[in-house]
Amino acid sequence: MTVSDRYRTAWDGFWEQSSGEPGEAFWDADPALTARRDLDHLAPHADHSLPVADLGCGNGTQTRFLATRFTRAVGVDLSAAAVAHARRADPDGAAAYEQLNLADPVQAGALHERLGDTNVYMRAVLHQSDPEDRPAVAAAVARLVGAHGRALVLEPTGEAKEVIAAIAAQPGGPSPKLRRVKEHDLRPGEVAEGEVAALLRAAGLTVLDEGATALAMSETRPDGSPVELPARWFVAGRP
């Protein structure tokens, strides 16, 4: 089994056993807490007349919101089951959805041929990729933005593991949402400090802006507030 096969098997298994409803997955928070806030970082740098590609779109929750802010939105995911959920949740076709392996340069190149230069939204994808695959994912981002697009890349920091460990250690053990992540062999990794910027630069992009943030999850704390994972955001492109 290749690395890509392992990813696809794990993610298809997860999404095939999901309803696809917004908020069911641990990370699938309301766009008001995610994409809407995140775009504040991208907006000063992006040409909104270009399309936007949501990389690792899952069931399309964020893609559908992005379609309200850009002329065209396309969500892509390795999992065919995820793409099927996204299409069912968007019967009016506000966005388009495609199965795509980001680590495959041929597939990334073909998407760029179809879209032209595009803006990219990529939330918490690199840490789910094995370290040896991350340069290929960064290269796909660079290929998609081309000369005129901009990428917003958000990744949890090492401290995020501590937050998740604390949730798992609560009385009663991990929540059902967190248990499903483990049951399907989804492997949240750790992106080292400085790694994201280095990957983007190695792919030929310039980091135009960056900062600290928190990634809201659909999981909530006992007081009803969303779990938030410490993270950093990066806006990259070719100046």
Side-chain angles (χ1 to χ4, degrees):
M1 178 181 289
T2 67
V3 171
S4 291
D5 287 339
R6 177 179 68 74
Y7 293 152
R8 186 178 295 108
T9 298
W11 284 105
D12 269 339
F14 177 87
W15 287 113
E16 284 168 0
Q17 295 183 29
S18 299
S19 70
E21 289 297 313
E24 182 182 13
F26 180 81
W27 55 84
D28 194 36
D30 189 307
L33 302 176
T34 52
R36 183 188 296 274
R37 294 193 316 189
D38 298 337
L39 287 187
D40 289 343
H41 306 308
L42 181 62
H45 304 278
D47 178 353
H48 281 65
S49 70
L50 297 179
V52 62
D54 181 11
L55 307 187
C57 69
N59 60 343
T61 298
Q62 310 308 320
T63 320
R64 293 189 292 278
F65 173 79
L66 294 171
T68 69
R69 297 298 182 92
F70 292 87
T71 57
R72 182 183 181 191
V74 178
V76 301
D77 202 280
L78 179 64
S79 167
V83 171
H85 282 311
R87 288 173 176 161
R88 280 194 294 271
D90 189 5
D92 295 329
Y97 308 92
E98 300 184 22
Q99 183 183 9
L100 185 139
N101 179 359
L102 287 175
D104 183 337
V106 174
Q107 292 187 36
L111 181 62
H112 181 259
E113 287 291 322
R114 294 194 295 275
L115 295 179
D117 291 354
T118 184
N119 297 303
V120 164
Y121 178 77
M122 189 168 75
R123 178 178 183 259
V125 170
L126 283 170
H127 82 291
Q128 282 284 351
S129 305
D130 289 336
E132 60 268 27
D133 294 317
R134 293 173 185 171
V137 174
V141 172
R143 182 65 182 270
L144 291 171
V145 301
H148 304 292
R150 296 290 183 262
L152 176 62
V153 178
L154 305 104
E155 285 295 328
T157 63
E159 289 80 5
K161 279 190 169 183
E162 299 173 13
V163 174
I164 293 173
I167 296 169
Q170 291 179 147
S175 69
K177 291 183 182 183
L178 202 52
R179 285 201 302 271
R180 290 193 64 229
V181 172
K182 184 174 182 180
E183 288 167 358
H184 288 279
D185 196 29
L186 306 182
R187 305 177 184 180
E190 182 174 334
V191 178
E193 184 176 355
E195 183 179 355
V196 175
L199 286 166
L200 293 171
R201 292 182 180 117
L205 298 177
T206 297
V207 176
L208 305 171
D209 203 358
E210 66 176 287
T213 188
L215 300 182
M217 302 289 106
S218 68
E219 182 82 13
T220 56
R221 298 184 182 279
D223 64 2
S225 63
V227 169
E228 293 190 322
L229 304 183
R232 288 193 68 79
W233 59 269
F234 303 83
V235 173
R238 293 182 173 92

